[in-house]
């Protein structure tokens, strides 16, 4: 009997080791290719983790200066910033926008970002923010177009913002926020990853109260479709994308499908044709190495931009790889956003700079 | 007596655990080689089109710069029991001769003069390479992949006709793959495995023992240039640098061999591609290597056994 148990345990251990090796993509590499000419956008150097594009104004807002699972606050020597990039200009230069009336400006390290156009046309930004000692909040800012500055509106702290990663605005004061896990330290995060017992999820804030929509999972990037009826959630550690029906009136989600990507997709963008774009981490072992020691300039990890064209029932998607890099040019892509009718592309990275590419190749076959 | 039996007991357990570890490693290596955690994401370098669907298999290409032609072997699927014609065609890369849009993408099928040899019924061409002499003569070297007639056929090009010159066949040729020319009638070619097909070949690949061979033929004599190579497939020769590139299907790598003056091969390096190379092309001027590969091996294996279904392809340039 003991021998049988031992053999079963051994078999379980062997399959666990194998699955872990596959999870870390030990047998994968990238092969560089670009859709056209690419270059760096001057401006963000300490990350360009998330981008929100305001079509009405042809502006892209980019978060920079992420602090993540920071065990030692004194290591976070860089500034958290929000950059704005004029999509109609050809300067390839993004400007850092001053943020006024923040209570603790030195603790402003932005992560995910989303926007909402107010009734009076003001652009309102919703930003996931971490402090140097990795405390979390959602900061709401209004963009003053004339003065090119951001005015602080509100800072929200809530026990359900366990480890917020991304955010989607659903109204002037409401939003969805994703928690990409529960651990607050590198060791705790490693335990979550290796055991598979994730404590992240999805939370809805209606302006006064929060509500869990998903629990005990990994929810990294999130975004709504253009008609705001479909929610896409990146389950980055499982290398899948969850597709949900979103009913804002009932504050309810219903799962439609789960798309296997076999790559770690981070944040999302939805283009005018309702294609889903994502910056992905195709080789997890290298991403972990780079992201675990992001201040080390000699470390980098692969980048991959995917475009997903969904079937009408949202149960399957055709995937096109628009950009792929071994990390030497673009390291650890986190977001990809297109503009100019799909002819230009911005690629944000977790801890490095921002890449711009022209798209000169057909993406529909 | 007691210590002897406890020693035997210890050895018994030790051997068990070593065997267990070896078998586990072996199984894991096989599963990893099958690319279970991989998939392909479509992209093309520009607009693409299918040139022909008439033949089941277009597995070999050879570019002849002097003629601006790409010679293509047709009908490899017949080696895997698909019903198809076989042959050789060429694609004219010269697009400035005033042809219309349709003609630009036409393949010209060549007629083959076998010069009395009875090879027509067993002709299933796959790997191909060419040699252009200074007087304009173009010679083609074609791997024949018929299960019962593994040979290298030598042809001379006569406009749209091929004249068969000779063949080299040997009982040790079990799974010929590709050929690379290093001079007039001097060729390297690969034999991928000891077993030609079926479960025996599958087991051979799973064991990853390396029973493949690189042969060298100097115009009259056949010799083994490299033995115990793990599933060698495509070949490409950089004549300027005298480097022979050889793809390894199972190791998912590219070997670079220095070709010495006596045509012996010395391993320079192995580049891990993490995709299974099948066909190689070396640009003569730059020395860049283009590789056609099977990026997800379990899907490729499925396709080879279910030939009516499509599979992923991958092209890498370095």
């Amino acid at each position: 009997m003991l021998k049988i148990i031992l053999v079963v345990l051994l078999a379980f251990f062997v399959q666990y080791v194998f699955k872990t090796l596959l999870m870390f993509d030990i047998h994968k590499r990238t092969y560089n290719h670009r859709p056209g000419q690419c270059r760096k956008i001057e401006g963000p150097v300490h990350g360009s983790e998330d981008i929100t594009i305001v079509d009405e104004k042809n502006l892209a807002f980019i978060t920079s200066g992420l602090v993540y699972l920071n065990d030692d606050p004194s290591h976070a020597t860089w500034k958290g910033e929000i950059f704005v990039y004029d999509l109609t200009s050809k300067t390839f230069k993004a400007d850092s926008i001053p943020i006024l009336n923040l209570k603790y400006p030195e603790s402003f390290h932005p992560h995910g970002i989303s926007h909402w156009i107010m009734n009076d046309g003001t652009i309102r930004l919703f930003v996931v923010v971490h402090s140097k000692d990795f405390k979390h909040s959602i900061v709401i800012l209004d963009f003053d177009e004339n003065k090119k500055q951001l005015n602080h509106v509100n800072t929200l702290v809530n026990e359900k913002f366990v480890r917020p990663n991304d955010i989607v605005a659903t109204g002037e004061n409401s939003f969805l926020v994703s928690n990409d896990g529960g651990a607050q330290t590198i060791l705790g995060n490693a335990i979550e990853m290796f055991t598979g017992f994730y404590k992240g999820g999805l939370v809805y804030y209606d302006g006064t109260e929060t509500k869990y929509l998903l629990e005990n999972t990994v929810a990294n990037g999130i975004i709504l479709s253009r008609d705001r009826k479909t929610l896409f959630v990146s389950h980055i550690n499982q290398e899948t994308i969850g597709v949900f029906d979103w009913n804002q009136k009932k504050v309810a989600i219903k799962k439609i499908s789960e798309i296997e990507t076999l790559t770690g997709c981070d944040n999302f963008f939805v283009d005018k044709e309702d294609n889903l774009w994502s910056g992905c981490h195709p080789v997890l072992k290298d991403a972990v190495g780079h992201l675990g020691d992001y201040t080390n300039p000699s470390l980098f990890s692969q980048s991959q931009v995917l475009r997903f064209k969904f079937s009408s029932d949202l149960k399957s998607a055709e995937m096109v790889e628009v950009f792929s890099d071994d990390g030497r040019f673009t390291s650890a892509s986190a977001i990809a956003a297109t503009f100019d009718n799909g002819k230009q592309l911005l690629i944000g990275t977790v801890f490095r700079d921002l890449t711009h590419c022209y798209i000169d190749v057909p993406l529909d076959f | 007596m007691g210590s002897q039996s406890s020693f035997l007991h210890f050895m018994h357990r030790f051997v068990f655990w070593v065997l267990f570890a070896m078998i586990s490693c072996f199984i894991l290596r096989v599963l990893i080689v099958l690319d279970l955690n991989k998939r392909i994401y479509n992209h093309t370098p520009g607009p693409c089109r299918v040139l022909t669907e008439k033949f089941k298999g277009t597995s070999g290409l050879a570019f002849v710069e002097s003629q601006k032609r790409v010679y293509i072997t047709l009908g490899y699927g017949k080696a895997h029991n698909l019903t198809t014609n076989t042959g050789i065609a060429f694609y004219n890369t010269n697009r400035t001769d005033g042809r219309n849009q349709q003609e630009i993408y036409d393949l010209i099928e060549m007629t083959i003069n076998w010069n009395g040899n009875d090879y027509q019924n067993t002709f299933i061409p796959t790997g191909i390479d060419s040699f252009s002499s200074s007087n304009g003569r173009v010679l083609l070297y074609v791997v024949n992949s018929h299960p019962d007639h593994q040979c290298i056929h030598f042809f001379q090009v006569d406009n749209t006709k091929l004249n068969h010159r000779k063949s080299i066949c040997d009982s040790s040729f079990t799974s010929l793959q590709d050929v690379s020319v290093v001079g007039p009638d001097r060729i390297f070619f690969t034999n991928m495995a000891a077993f030609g097909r079926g479960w025996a070949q599958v087991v051979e690949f799973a064991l990853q023992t390396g029973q493949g061979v690189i042969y060298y033929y100097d115009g009259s004599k056949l010799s083994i240039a490299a033995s115990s190579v793990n599933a060698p497939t495509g070949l490409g020769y950089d004549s300027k640098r005298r480097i022979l590139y050889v793809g390894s299907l199972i190791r998912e790598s590219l070997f670079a061999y220095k070709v010495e003056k006596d045509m012996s091969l010395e391993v320079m390096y192995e580049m891990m591609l993490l995709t299974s190379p099948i066909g190689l092309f070396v640009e003569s001027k730059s020395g860049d290597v283009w590789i056609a590969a099977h990026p997800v091996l379990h899907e490729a294996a499925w396709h080879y056994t279910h030939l009516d279904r499509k599979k992923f392809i991958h092209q890498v340039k370095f």
Side-chain angles (χ1 to χ4, degrees):
Chain A
M1 186 63 183
L2 190 64
K3 272 190 181 173
I4 293 170
I5 293 170
L6 195 60
V7 168
V8 166
L9 278 173
L10 264 174
F12 174 79
F13 175 72
V14 168
Q15 73 86 29
Y16 171 77
V17 165
F18 179 63
K19 276 174 74 175
T20 304
L21 290 173
L22 287 190
M23 182 180 82
F24 278 95
D25 302 316
I26 56 154
H27 200 54
K28 279 198 210 166
R29 63 166 295 169
T30 47
Y31 308 92
N32 295 343
H33 67 89
R34 301 176 188 182
Q37 289 257 355
C38 295
R39 67 202 45 75
K40 294 301 160 124
I41 297 280
E42 197 186 319
V45 291
H46 294 297
S48 43
E49 208 271 350
D50 202 7
I51 300 172
T52 190
I53 288 187
V54 182
D55 293 318
E56 294 85 344
K57 306 284 180 185
N58 278 312
L59 293 174
F61 292 89
I62 305 127
T63 56
S64 181
L66 173 67
V67 153
Y68 190 72
L69 290 172
N70 197 27
D71 287 342
D72 185 352
S74 66
H75 282 163
T77 55
W78 53 90
K79 205 175 142 198
E81 298 172 276
I82 292 182
F83 286 83
V84 65
Y85 180 64
D86 182 352
L87 300 176
T88 60
S89 78
K90 293 269 168 73
T91 59
F92 306 115
K93 187 173 177 299
D95 299 312
S96 178
I97 324 170
I99 305 172
L100 305 186
N101 304 318
L102 273 176
K103 197 172 177 188
Y104 302 107
E106 70 283 355
S107 289
F108 181 83
H109 291 279
H111 197 158
I113 189 170
S114 180
H115 77 273
W116 186 263
I117 307 287
M118 312 278 279
N119 290 333
D120 63 357
T122 304
I123 300 169
R124 172 160 286 185
L125 298 181
F126 295 77
V127 188
V128 171
V129 171
H130 309 293
S131 65
K132 285 190 198 305
D133 55 353
F134 205 50
K135 297 285 180 271
H136 322 296
S137 57
I138 306 297
V139 173
I140 301 175
L141 307 161
D142 282 349
F143 182 58
D144 184 334
E145 265 181 86
N146 297 324
K147 294 181 184 171
K148 293 261 186 310
Q149 66 191 28
L150 287 165
N151 297 312
H152 176 252
V153 173
N154 200 359
T155 295
L156 300 163
V157 175
N158 189 286
E159 59 177 9
K160 290 194 178 75
F161 305 155
V162 174
R163 203 173 83 192
N165 184 299
D166 199 6
I167 188 163
V168 174
T170 54
E172 288 189 2
N173 292 297
S174 64
F175 51 82
L176 288 156
V177 64
S178 63
N179 287 315
D180 61 19
Q184 304 299 307
T185 62
I186 293 173
L187 177 62
N189 187 50
I191 292 170
E192 271 191 49
M193 275 181 73
F194 282 106
T195 60
F197 292 121
Y198 299 108
K199 303 306 285 178
L202 189 67
V203 174
Y204 178 67
Y205 176 74
D206 66 2
T208 46
E209 286 177 350
T210 53
K211 177 187 173 183
Y212 277 120
L213 296 177
L214 282 175
E215 288 180 85
N216 299 322
T217 183
V218 175
N220 195 301
I222 51 172
I223 202 158
L224 286 170
S225 57
R226 291 253 164 176
D227 63 5
R228 313 196 82 77
K229 289 181 183 165
T230 307
L231 174 70
F232 300 97
V233 179
S234 165
H235 302 302
I236 189 169
N237 289 21
Q238 287 102 359
E239 295 185 336
T240 63
I241 295 175
V243 184
F244 299 85
D245 254 335
W246 164 240
N247 187 323
Q248 183 150 350
K249 281 199 184 115
K250 293 181 184 171
V251 186
I253 58 170
K254 186 177 157 200
K255 190 162 185 178
I256 301 171
S257 64
E258 191 152 341
I259 306 294
E260 267 201 13
T261 60
L262 294 184
T263 184
C265 287
D266 203 324
N267 292 323
F268 296 128
F269 169 78
V270 175
D271 68 20
K272 288 179 181 169
E273 285 155 19
D274 250 346
N275 297 312
L276 184 72
W277 291 70
S278 185
C280 307
H281 308 289
V283 185
L284 184 61
K285 63 173 172 53
D286 294 334
V288 164
H290 163 50
L291 302 180
D293 187 11
Y294 46 84
T295 56
N296 186 341
S298 66
L299 292 176
F300 48 81
S301 71
Q302 295 83 350
S303 294
Q304 180 186 44
V305 170
L306 295 181
R307 186 199 77 169
F308 299 84
K309 194 180 207 64
F310 278 85
S311 57
S312 52
D313 62 1
L314 296 170
K315 290 197 173 151
S316 64
E318 188 189 297
M319 298 179 216
V320 175
E321 185 178 82
V322 181
F323 173 95
S324 176
D325 190 78
D326 56 17
R328 289 177 299 153
F329 179 68
T330 300
S331 175
S333 58
I335 173 76
T338 57
F339 58 100
D340 188 17
N341 290 319
K343 292 191 217 127
Q344 298 186 59
L345 172 69
L346 288 176
I347 306 170
T349 61
V350 182
F351 290 115
R352 300 276 191 264
D353 39 32
L354 179 66
T355 296
H356 169 278
C357 293
Y358 285 106
I359 299 179
D360 296 328
V361 294
L363 300 181
D364 295 303
F365 312 117
Chain B
M1 190 71 180
S3 62
Q4 194 180 8
S5 80
S6 61
F7 174 73
L8 279 172
H9 187 61
F10 166 78
M11 284 305 295
H12 185 243
R13 278 197 172 178
F14 178 74
V15 167
F16 168 78
W17 284 113
V18 167
L19 277 174
F20 178 81
M22 283 175 68
I23 290 169
S24 300
C25 273
F26 165 74
I27 293 172
L28 293 184
R29 273 174 60 194
V30 167
L31 291 175
I32 282 172
V33 162
L34 289 175
D35 302 318
L36 295 178
N37 62 335
K38 287 191 205 169
R39 63 159 295 158
I40 270 293
Y41 312 92
N42 292 343
H43 63 89
T44 62
C48 294
R49 64 199 56 74
V50 174
L51 292 186
T52 181
E53 286 182 303
K54 198 173 145 192
F55 298 87
K56 301 273 168 67
T58 49
S59 57
L61 301 174
F63 177 53
V64 178
E65 185 134 19
S66 55
Q67 294 180 317
K68 297 274 184 281
R69 284 184 185 181
V70 177
Y71 290 93
I72 305 155
T73 55
L74 306 166
Y76 175 67
K78 195 170 181 182
H80 295 270
N81 301 319
L82 273 183
T83 304
T84 179
N85 290 332
T86 64
I88 294 176
F90 68 84
Y91 174 74
N92 199 329
T93 64
N94 189 345
R95 299 170 128 207
T96 58
D97 60 358
R99 289 176 294 160
N100 66 32
Q101 191 67 22
Q102 178 57 42
E103 284 173 336
I104 281 173
Y105 300 120
D106 274 349
L107 295 186
I108 313 293
E109 289 174 44
M110 306 182 81
T111 52
I112 300 177
N113 172 15
W114 289 103
N115 285 321
N117 291 302
D118 187 24
Y119 294 139
Q120 193 165 356
N121 294 331
T122 56
F123 186 55
I124 305 178
T126 179
I128 184 171
D129 202 358
S130 67
F131 177 79
S132 300
S133 66
S134 50
N135 61 5
R137 204 165 68 127
V138 175
L139 305 173
L140 292 184
Y141 304 84
V142 181
V143 173
N144 192 54
S145 60
H146 190 284
D148 302 322
H149 192 68
Q150 300 258 317
C151 299
I152 308 288
H153 291 308
F154 293 41
F155 297 98
Q156 180 167 334
V157 176
D158 179 9
N159 196 12
T160 61
K161 205 165 68 172
L162 290 173
N163 292 315
H164 181 258
R165 294 168 49 232
K166 67 176 180 182
S167 303
I168 45 167
C169 312
D170 191 278
S171 56
S172 64
F173 296 170
T174 48
S175 57
L176 296 181
Q177 291 297 305
D178 198 11
V179 59
S180 191
V181 173
V182 295
D185 282 7
R186 292 189 299 142
I187 54 176
F188 287 100
F189 53 98
T190 49
N191 191 64
M192 187 168 63
F195 294 98
R197 56 195 59 242
W199 283 107
Q201 192 182 70
V202 171
V203 171
E204 184 185 338
F205 284 154
L207 289 171
Q208 299 181 46
T209 52
Q211 302 301 315
V213 173
I214 302 171
Y215 286 101
Y216 174 66
Y217 178 73
D218 68 0
S220 56
K221 206 175 80 177
L222 179 72
S223 59
I224 291 176
S227 59
S228 303
V229 186
N230 204 329
T233 50
L235 284 168
Y237 182 60
D238 184 340
S239 54
K240 258 193 214 161
R241 296 162 190 83
R242 295 183 68 88
I243 299 175
L244 181 74
Y245 296 100
V246 182
S248 170
L249 183 85
I250 296 300
R251 285 186 65 79
E252 295 189 338
S253 68
L254 188 76
F255 284 94
Y257 293 91
K258 188 74 186 169
V259 180
E260 304 293 353
K261 288 207 168 95
D262 62 354
M263 306 312 283
S264 62
L265 298 178
E266 173 129 2
V267 177
M268 290 171 68
Y269 58 83
E270 181 184 11
M271 177 185 289
M272 300 313 294
L273 303 174
L274 299 187
T275 184
S276 295
I278 280 288
L280 269 60
F281 169 72
V282 181
E283 281 189 42
S284 53
K285 286 191 185 120
S286 61
D288 288 349
V289 182
W290 292 73
I291 302 164
H294 298 316
V296 185
L297 203 58
H298 71 271
E299 293 272 353
W302 178 257
H303 174 64
Y304 274 91
T305 50
H306 297 78
L307 290 163
D308 51 341
R309 310 267 177 88
K310 290 191 177 165
K311 68 160 172 65
F312 300 130
I313 60 163
H314 197 183
Q315 295 220 355
V316 178
K317 174 188 171 185
F318 75 90

